Amino acid sequence: MSEYKSEFLKTLQTRGFIKQVTHEAELDAYCQAGVPIAYIGFDATADSLHVGSLLQIMMLRHLQKAGGKPIVLMGGGTTKVGDPTDKEKSRPLLTNEQIEANIAGIKKAFEPFLTFGDGPTDAIMVNNDDWLGKLGYIELLREVGVHFTINTMVKQDTVARRLANEQPYTFLEFNYLLMQSYDFLELFRRHKCRIQLGGSDQWGNIVGGVDLVHKAAAGDVFGVTAHLITTASGGKMGKTADGAVWLNADRKSPYEYWQFWRNCEDADVGRFLRLFTEMPLEEIEALEKLEGAEINTAKIALANAATTMLHGEAAAKESEAAAAAVFAGGGTAAALPTVEIPSAELFSDYLVAAAFTAAGLTESNGEARRLIKQGAAKVNDQQVKDQNATLAESDVVDGSIKLSAGKKRHALVKPV
């Protein structure tokens, strides 16, 4: 393992981010001299990023804290093609209006983590549609295509796997490598950006960009990738039985976000504290030594630190208090996810199953009925036994009705 001298790379290394690096010595020297400039691209495939993108955001945050300048590249252009990396089939194409709406939503996720502005180390946000959208096809072929060989492109893992499995790999997707590489060239020319950061699944695309900048502009640029994060049991980071763990509060409440971290696997706590918080390593090492039931102290520390970073300290404290009230039994708290339903509707033979679905605890009334049949559904901490049970005004406690799906998932129904 290399011993880096620059603060940025040293931080990434000691906290467990780095998997691959191009030109290590030159990169380390660049990060020590002046203001290193780095970017990460985010395609706009949804109106929020999820926890799976948090690793990349943290890399940009560490860069800024080390005196560097982060560039957040929104993929308004590349989203029109769709990143084929590690995908077994083509992504559905989005309209321009969908992409613009998604970008507007995604922007919110960066505000708690980065300082944006006009200063030398302030982050900036740019959209690759500004140049890709104006790039003529012949121009792309002459300036970019001439530097790539089909021999190399078909060896990329995704391409090779699709071809070997006789699965379609469209010419549209085949151009994604050229487009992402051209992004690096444009950012080098426009903003003197010399580092591309990303997950290790992007290594081939990043190397393509490094080569293109060298060949087309005689520029010395670098690539750094982070490990792709999976849970200790092999699950995909940021995915739960309830779907993606979104960063935007309107997609996943602070309480639900807090609960995601609080419920992580024991073996993941130390690693997640290093990657997703800024807690000092000495404190993390102390928390890692906890065993048995005491490991919950470390999980709560993780949940509080991660939630504070995204939603603020007040939201983290509310979430912790809400969890304490819920798990103490019989308690409710305002921080729990809440759905409002008109009283006239709620108290007119409104099924408990329908309430579970409206509150987001189940995907359908059928799933809610199965939950009831399994004995895992509760109203105000009392098990529901009848799949056709309905709610009544007498169920309202302190202005709301508490629903529980199993031991860890809770929500409130509030009559209005």
Side-chain angles (χ1 to χ4, degrees):
M1 184 171 66
S2 300
E3 292 295 332
Y4 297 111
K5 297 179 180 178
S6 62
E7 181 183 349
F8 174 52
L9 293 179
K10 191 182 298 182
T11 298
L12 293 190
Q13 182 185 55
T14 57
R15 299 189 80 93
F17 284 84
I18 296 177
K19 180 171 184 179
Q20 299 151 302
V21 176
T22 67
H23 313 96
E24 281 189 309
E26 295 87 345
L27 171 61
D28 198 21
Y30 168 64
C31 289
Q32 292 179 78
V35 178
I37 304 173
Y39 89 95
I40 300 180
F42 299 86
D43 278 347
T45 54
D47 61 1
S48 171
L49 297 177
H50 57 69
V51 167
S53 297
L54 188 56
L55 192 77
Q56 284 73 41
I57 297 175
M58 290 298 296
M59 292 173 79
L60 290 177
R61 181 177 172 88
H62 286 304
L63 172 75
Q64 189 168 53
K65 292 193 70 175
K69 185 179 185 67
I71 298 177
V72 178
L73 177 65
M74 300 307 303
T78 42
T79 304
K80 295 177 183 179
V81 173
D83 186 356
T85 305
D86 285 343
K87 301 295 183 294
E88 299 306 321
K89 60 182 179 179
S90 302
R91 288 181 181 272
L93 297 181
L94 303 180
T95 65
N96 290 341
E97 292 74 22
Q98 288 173 315
I99 293 171
E100 289 174 7
N102 287 347
I103 288 175
I106 287 172
K107 285 180 177 179
K108 301 174 186 176
F110 294 95
E111 295 170 359
F113 295 95
L114 300 173
T115 300
F116 289 86
D118 300 321
T121 63
D122 286 341
I124 60 173
M125 185 174 287
V126 296
N127 188 336
N128 64 14
D129 195 43
D130 291 346
W131 53 82
L132 292 177
K134 300 172 183 176
L135 192 62
Y137 186 60
I138 299 298
E139 183 182 359
L140 174 67
L141 292 179
R142 287 178 62 88
E143 183 170 8
V144 183
V146 69
H147 297 296
F148 290 83
T149 67
I150 298 297
N151 312 59
T152 300
M153 294 174 73
V154 297
K155 290 178 182 177
Q156 283 200 302
D157 289 344
T158 300
V159 183
R161 188 170 60 250
R162 291 257 203 108
L163 295 178
N165 294 334
E166 297 185 354
Q167 295 171 322
Y169 194 86
T170 67
F171 186 68
L172 180 71
E173 295 173 287
F174 201 56
N175 280 271
Y176 192 90
L177 171 59
L178 275 64
M179 296 172 70
Q180 183 170 322
S181 298
Y182 187 71
D183 285 343
F184 204 169
L185 180 60
E186 279 294 315
L187 292 174
F188 175 75
R189 289 169 170 169
R190 293 174 181 233
H191 301 287
K192 299 180 180 178
C193 178
R194 293 183 61 189
I195 306 173
Q196 183 180 357
L197 306 171
S200 60
D201 60 333
Q202 294 296 315
W203 179 248
N205 293 332
I206 291 174
V207 170
V210 170
D211 289 342
L212 177 63
V213 176
H214 178 71
K215 293 174 180 176
D220 293 324
V221 296
F222 314 99
V224 180
T225 66
H227 295 275
L228 293 181
I229 304 301
T230 57
T231 63
S233 60
K236 191 171 183 179
M237 178 65 181
K239 298 286 187 179
T240 69
D242 309 315
V245 181
W246 301 103
L247 299 183
N248 289 13
D250 59 348
R251 295 290 299 272
K252 185 70 73 172
S253 72
Y255 175 80
E256 292 173 296
Y257 189 76
W258 189 94
Q259 281 289 341
F260 167 74
W261 297 106
R262 168 63 181 82
N263 293 328
C264 75
E265 298 178 40
D266 293 359
D268 287 329
V269 178
R271 184 165 55 118
F272 286 179
L273 281 166
R274 286 181 173 82
L275 295 173
F276 301 112
T277 80
E278 293 176 336
M279 188 177 293
L281 294 177
E282 296 79 7
E283 294 182 27
I284 295 173
E285 290 168 2
L287 289 170
E288 283 182 304
K289 295 177 182 177
L290 298 177
E291 298 178 350
E294 289 186 341
I295 193 68
N296 290 326
T297 300
K299 292 184 179 183
I300 291 172
L302 169 63
N304 284 337
T307 304
T308 295
M309 190 171 290
L310 178 62
H311 295 295
E313 185 178 3
K317 288 182 177 179
E318 282 184 12
S319 299
E320 183 181 6
V326 168
F327 290 109
T332 61
L336 288 176
T338 301
V339 60
E340 295 182 345
I341 299 176
S343 297
E345 179 182 357
L346 188 61
F347 303 130
S348 298
D349 297 324
Y350 196 91
L351 290 171
V352 170
F356 269 76
T357 302
L361 294 175
T362 55
E363 294 291 332
S364 66
N365 290 1
E367 181 185 343
R369 286 192 175 94
R370 289 192 293 274
L371 198 71
I372 293 171
K373 185 177 181 180
Q374 294 164 3
K378 293 182 179 181
V379 171
N380 295 331
D381 297 315
Q382 299 298 312
Q383 184 178 349
V384 181
K385 298 180 180 180
D386 183 359
Q387 295 180 45
N388 295 311
T390 58
L391 295 173
E393 288 188 60
S394 58
D395 293 320
V396 178
V397 178
D398 296 331
S400 61
I401 303 170
K402 176 185 167 188
L403 307 179
S404 302
K407 296 180 180 180
K408 297 180 179 180
R409 299 170 53 229
H410 312 273
L412 299 179
V413 173
K414 184 176 180 180
V416 292

